[in-house]
Amino acid sequence: MFNSPFTRRAFLQSTGLAAAGTAMSVGLPGLANAAAKGTLITPQRKALVFIMLDGGNDSYNMLVPNTGVFYKQYAKTRGNLAHKRRNLLALDGPEDDDGRSFGLHSAMPEVQQLYNDKKLAFVANVGPLVERIQKAQFYDGSAQLPLGLLSHADQFKHWQTSRPDLRQNDGWFGHFADELQPSLSAHDIPMNISLAGHNIQQNGHQNLPYSITADGSVGLYVKEERSDLNDALLNSFTKLMNEDHRDDPFMETYLDLTRQAQAKHEVFQEATRGISVPGHFSTTDLSQQLRMVARTIKASEALGLQQQTFFIRYIGWDHHDELLNNQGQMLGILSRALGEFQTALGDMGLDEKVVTFTGSDFGRTLTSNGNGTDHGWGGNTIVMGAPVKGGRVYGEYPSLGLGNDNLQDIGDGVLIPTTSTDQLYADLSLWFGVQSDALDGLFPNLKRFTNLSSGARLGLFS
């Protein structure tokens, strides 16, 4: 907080931000049409939290079939990478349509408990798809494939846009902001908040995400206690902010961005000051980032927000080598962080208003490369929250056999997804408040995977 008398109001007035202008939204045509009918997004206090497991999580060693013949198939295919059946954490719940029950990686007891408490579910064999693909179509070249299939850069982007037929730089969270905050002023906090810097998923046609750290917003902070040093810092900063560089467009643009950043920092600091998050959080970056997410969600009313989205990037999942040791450590960090976050949300009375989900560039090959796995396609992901109909595996968990015995295997256990990201994101969007008649504008390829009648696509929510 700046020393009196240089208050936040004085700062905004001195920098000309209090009367910042507005801008028109230029969202997708389908969204604009739905918005004109007043049916795009129903305002309500909700938050979506996306954790990107950057690098390609070997998710068939995270969620494992543990029933007789299905486990034997898994063990045969995975070879030296297979987990012992006795070490898997048992998951409660009914068998799937093929009679499989499932076990979980031994490093994930918190996720096991959340699943058994019906607060967490898995979506099986999900990935970016332009259209449904049969194995024969892949081989004869008649299928439309995601651009840059098996490429980190492209698949990382496709998970954020759900437009694998294009290389675009705006995502579905960004389109939410274009519609919900079309006239964002210079000192208002965006609804899309990133703990991983700039990202495509929260980037709209008009709006950009607001970046924070695990410690909060970034800006100049001068202690309230009067001292020569504090006064000198404040006076220097005040002078800098009030300089006029209209004869130098580059300097004026840079200074204006600095003014806006500082104004947002002041607003964010004021809104989150005094908010504590109950419970224990581990010292890992992921846990501390989720702690700040919980704090920011609690501050949503003070920030003038209803819907919020959060983007977190957990890097390091490209396990071409030392898969068993490295993935085990990272899954343990993920599991603890999810457990801590969900517990805190419950203690804060926010658990019915928040849904957290994971994604990853791609699944990995079912076959071992010796001590790790290579780039794949379809994989399993997590959806967590009190609103989720948990304790289930959604979608179609594939056969883990190889070759002709597996209709999804296109080589080395690279699996064609049976659920598209469009279907997963449609369910999440409907829960968030998006109306069903706006979905085809938000996800143009969705109609290729499911009937666009109203209602959930996978059934993740009641």
Side-chain angles (χ1 to χ4, degrees):
M1 185 71 178
F2 286 106
N3 285 323
S4 180
F6 200 79
T7 62
R8 182 176 71 84
R9 181 182 297 275
F11 173 76
L12 295 176
Q13 290 173 342
S14 71
T15 57
L17 292 175
T22 61
M24 295 299 291
S25 170
V26 289
L28 293 174
L31 293 183
N33 292 338
K37 301 175 185 176
T39 58
L40 176 60
I41 302 179
T42 302
Q44 51 198 313
R45 193 179 179 196
K46 289 185 175 181
L48 283 170
V49 182
F50 180 49
I51 303 174
M52 185 66 179
L53 307 182
D54 190 334
N57 178 31
D58 192 318
S59 56
Y60 289 102
N61 258 15
M62 178 180 73
L63 181 67
V64 179
N66 65 357
T67 308
V69 64
F70 300 107
Y71 175 80
K72 290 179 181 179
Q73 184 184 62
Y74 156 84
K76 179 181 179 181
T77 296
R78 304 244 65 188
N80 66 320
L81 301 179
H83 293 295
K84 300 294 184 184
R85 185 176 177 183
R86 63 177 178 273
N87 293 335
L88 297 173
L89 302 177
L91 295 178
D92 295 342
E95 298 175 340
D96 70 3
D97 292 341
D98 292 321
R100 281 173 292 204
S101 61
F102 296 92
L104 195 62
H105 193 289
S106 60
M108 306 185 79
E110 297 85 0
V111 167
Q112 176 198 31
Q113 189 63 56
L114 287 163
Y115 181 95
N116 291 342
D117 288 344
K118 307 288 192 294
K119 295 181 181 179
L120 182 145
F122 293 94
V123 179
N125 199 28
V126 60
L129 286 168
V130 181
E131 61 182 357
R132 291 194 184 277
I133 297 174
Q134 300 297 322
K135 189 171 180 175
Q137 294 174 307
F138 178 88
Y139 284 139
D140 66 22
S142 63
Q144 187 175 0
L145 302 177
L147 296 174
L149 187 61
L150 309 190
S151 152
H152 281 296
D154 285 294
Q155 302 309 302
F156 179 73
K157 178 178 289 189
H158 297 335
W159 264 93
Q160 295 177 69
T161 67
S162 209
R163 291 302 307 274
D165 49 331
L166 300 173
R167 289 188 174 103
Q168 65 181 43
N169 292 313
D170 49 271
W172 55 295
F173 281 179
H175 298 312
F176 289 167
D178 284 342
E179 300 303 331
L180 288 171
Q181 293 184 303
S183 303
L184 191 68
S185 68
H187 59 276
D188 286 336
I189 301 297
M191 63 171 286
N192 291 340
I193 296 176
S194 172
L195 287 97
H198 184 75
N199 63 85
I200 292 171
Q201 180 149 340
Q202 293 180 314
N203 187 30
H205 287 246
Q206 181 66 35
N207 287 284
L208 297 175
Y210 181 58
S211 293
I212 64 173
T213 72
D215 296 319
S217 58
V218 178
L220 180 69
Y221 177 80
V222 180
K223 293 182 180 179
E224 295 184 4
E225 293 83 3
R226 296 300 300 268
S227 71
D228 291 342
L229 176 59
N230 289 347
D231 288 347
L233 286 170
L234 181 57
N235 290 336
S236 296
F237 188 68
T238 304
K239 181 180 178 181
L240 175 65
M241 291 295 98
N242 289 312
E243 287 183 354
D244 187 345
H245 292 282
R246 280 177 289 185
D247 57 339
D248 186 337
F250 178 82
M251 284 295 296
E252 184 62 22
T253 299
Y254 182 82
L255 183 57
D256 189 52
L257 291 173
T258 303
R259 290 168 178 155
Q260 292 184 36
Q262 183 63 24
K264 287 182 169 64
H265 168 65
E266 285 287 297
V267 172
F268 190 90
Q269 288 284 87
E270 184 65 28
T272 57
R273 182 176 287 110
I275 293 178
S276 61
V277 179
H280 170 77
F281 278 78
S282 305
T283 59
T284 64
D285 289 343
L286 182 60
S287 285
Q288 291 302 308
Q289 288 170 350
L290 285 172
R291 182 178 181 274
M292 176 51 69
V293 170
R295 186 178 173 195
T296 307
I297 294 171
K298 187 68 173 179
S300 61
E301 185 174 352
L303 290 169
L305 300 170
Q306 293 199 66
Q307 276 100 331
Q308 293 173 294
T309 78
F310 296 86
F311 182 88
I312 295 175
R313 188 175 180 184
Y314 184 11
I315 300 173
W317 297 85
D318 193 21
H319 295 139
H320 291 277
D321 196 18
E322 291 296 332
L323 168 70
L324 294 179
N325 291 333
N326 292 336
Q327 188 196 29
Q329 293 175 10
M330 295 181 73
L331 287 175
I333 290 171
L334 174 64
S335 182
R336 285 190 296 276
L338 291 176
E340 293 161 353
F341 182 56
Q342 192 62 35
T343 297
L345 291 176
D347 291 342
M348 299 169 78
L350 298 172
D351 53 337
E352 292 288 348
K353 303 180 184 302
V354 183
V355 170
T356 304
F357 64 104
T358 66
S360 197
D361 310 22
F362 34 63
R364 304 189 75 86
T365 56
L366 296 179
T367 57
S368 170
N369 63 17
N371 201 24
T373 51
D374 298 320
H375 300 180
W377 191 356
N380 307 313
T381 197
I382 293 170
V383 183
M384 178 184 79
V388 176
K389 292 195 297 184
R392 294 177 56 185
V393 176
Y394 290 85
E396 301 174 33
Y397 195 96
S399 165
L400 300 186
L402 298 175
N404 294 332
D405 294 333
N406 188 343
L407 296 178
Q408 307 307 128
D409 174 31
I410 55 176
D412 293 328
V414 175
L415 300 180
I416 300 171
T418 45
T419 295
S420 71
T421 53
D422 291 297
Q423 292 169 280
L424 170 61
Y425 292 168
D427 265 31
L428 293 168
S429 297
L430 289 168
W431 173 81
F432 195 63
V434 174
Q435 300 303 302
S436 59
D437 58 357
L439 287 176
D440 56 348
L442 194 59
F443 307 112
N445 292 324
L446 179 62
K447 57 184 174 291
R448 299 178 176 178
F449 306 105
T450 186
N451 188 331
L452 281 176
S453 59
S454 62
R457 271 57 198 167
L458 292 175
L460 285 165
F461 304 98
S462 300

